[in-house]
Amino acid sequence: MSFVVGTAGHIDHGKSTLITALTGIDPDRLAEEKRRGMTIDLGFAHMALPSGREIGIVDVPGHARFIRNMLAGVHGLDAVILVVAADEGVRPQTREHLEIIDLLDVRRGLVALTKSDLVDHEWLEMMSAEVAGALEHTSLEGSRILPVSAVTRDGLDALVRALDALLAETEARRDVGRPRLPIDRVFTISGFGTVVTGTLVDGVLATGQELEVVPRGRTVRIRGLQQHNRKVDTAQPGSRVAVNVSGAEKEELERGDVLAMPGSLTTTRRVDALARVVDDAPRSLRHGAELTLHTGTAEVGARAIVLEGDAVEPGAQGWVQLYLARPIAVAERDGFVLRIPSPAATLAGGRFADVAPRKHPRHDSTVRESLERRAAGNVLQEELRKYPRGVAVSALLKATLAAESDVESLDAFRAGDWIWAREHWSSLSERVRLVLAEYHAAHPMRAGMPREELRSRAGVPPAAFQAALRGWHEEGLVAEHGGEVALAEHHAAVEETDGPAARLVAALSRTPLAPPSLNEAMQESGATAEVVRALERRGDVVRVSDEVAFTREAYANAIALVKEMVAAGGSVTVAQLRDRMGASRRPVLALLEHLDAQRVTRRVGDSRVLR
Ligand SMILES: Nc1nc2c(ncn2[C@@H]2O[C@H](COP(=O)(O)OP(=O)(O)OP(=O)(O)O)[C@@H](O)[C@H]2O)c(=O)[nH]1
Ligand SMILES: [Mg+2]
């Protein structure tokens, strides 16, 4: 198992020197860093602890100007080594780094009291007490403080053993099957191409895998993986990884981008969070404040919407919605830090409660309550509540880090790939019941409502409708008849045996080939135009003109008769057919004109031939 440990602390306090002394690897890799004798950007090293545990180390710069690089290095740490020079004690960036570690809630740490060779024992004791005081009320409160010297190597073994013991208590990294690698470095190696590095979280990466660069949307493939300079086939969450990718040039990737499985990670320009403002912040977190958000390895401009009250005061916490200057790829519960751009200062931090929130009304306690339920762990249920019209399961999972199996425990209705919160499904079903009941009342003759009409009246997204219909069908709410949807209990009036529909058919059947006019038949039977249309749709009646209709059998017989007469005599006239049908001229003429239009017959002078 592999872990990631970061350094922290004031400039020149000996972070990089300590890492070199421990690992033999100088984390300062830039020429400028060597020249100036200071760390500018993140540096990396690795070592095996006495237990065999492998650790990747992220060395950060202490200079206040490079704090943004430090911020890109602290995500995904298992533990931190806070470095304080024994000769100088706690200095501004000691406090600032500690503040950031505290906001990101890194709870495992050690203090290396470096340069112990420069001070005497009493001074060491004093500095030790000073550092212990600085740790109070932070996530590192009570951490061990160990004097070390990179020059004499005093204390190095004890530090390594303490680190090993600290990591022994560290629980295994979560693997939710959704690997994410926030990129902290991009470079090229000739012969290999583009390489990115980062701390892998939430899942395993494997050679050959296809990944998406979010939020850019570009697709890349893993050509090779390295962990601590060794080639590996898979990389576990919670480890430092170098990924050789194909499909993207160096210029097409940068720190802040995230490698993830295609479609598995939300990109967002809005997040909800409970922000804790640091005790000695230079000002409160005001509504509308323009800030810089740091999360993962990304940095982005953010405007704060304070959801309750007008500001969150130093030392207090409050719910905020952040509007981001550009989309970022994050997941709920990711840690973040908010900074004031100038004069630069750390203002607040916390974890995201919702990374795909709606816009919220301010000063609305239901918003806070929902966010609190979410933060308390009801993430998926609260996420689902946001979709009254239903949501595809994959889309629901994307906005959270929940696993597919978590969906089963939701208070929800699931049909195929779609899911609705129970209360939304109930009200949607109720709406469908009402819409259909109204429709049946208005059109008692119709078998049901056209599907598309029902869909749009009920407000169901097109993609969800098939699944929803299946759901209603299974619940016994609806039935389908040839593309039309009805309440299960609905029987079109046309089914009745002694109603106007049946009487109309009876009226037309009395002298089938010489039917009364449609008007007469309707008057006699009491059938409305609606009934006639329903009978027509079912094929029980064939209307050849506005005024003339035949029963299904009569119509078939009439056509057979026409064909027979043409076969016998070469053609047929209106008068000839009228005689055979025993009808008046009007229905016969209407029938033949209808057959012409249907391209069964063709008129030649006064007679018809077959087409
Ligand atoms: N005497 C003594 N000097 C040390 C020790 N550790 C580091 N130094 C010196 O302190 C100076 C700064 O050390 P670095 O390791 O570069 O400090 P850093 O914390 O990495 O500094 P930044 O990366 O710029 O924040 C160097 O000149 C080191 O040689 C030590 O244990 N004893
Ligand atoms: Mg350094």
Side-chain angles (χ1 to χ4, degrees), residues 266 383 387 391-400:
T266 310
E383 182 65 23
Y387 301 95
V391 60
V393 172
S394 59
L396 179 72
L397 291 177
K398 192 172 166 178
T400 69

Side-chain angles (χ1 to χ4, degrees), residues 421-449:
R422 179 70 55 191
E423 70 263 28
H424 294 147
W425 177 254
S426 302
S427 57
L428 190 60
S429 303
E430 196 44 42
R431 189 151 73 242
V432 163
R433 180 194 300 286
L434 283 175
V435 166
L436 284 177
E438 253 172 45
Y439 190 86
H440 293 326
H443 309 283
M445 293 297 127
R446 296 197 186 157
M449 190 170 188

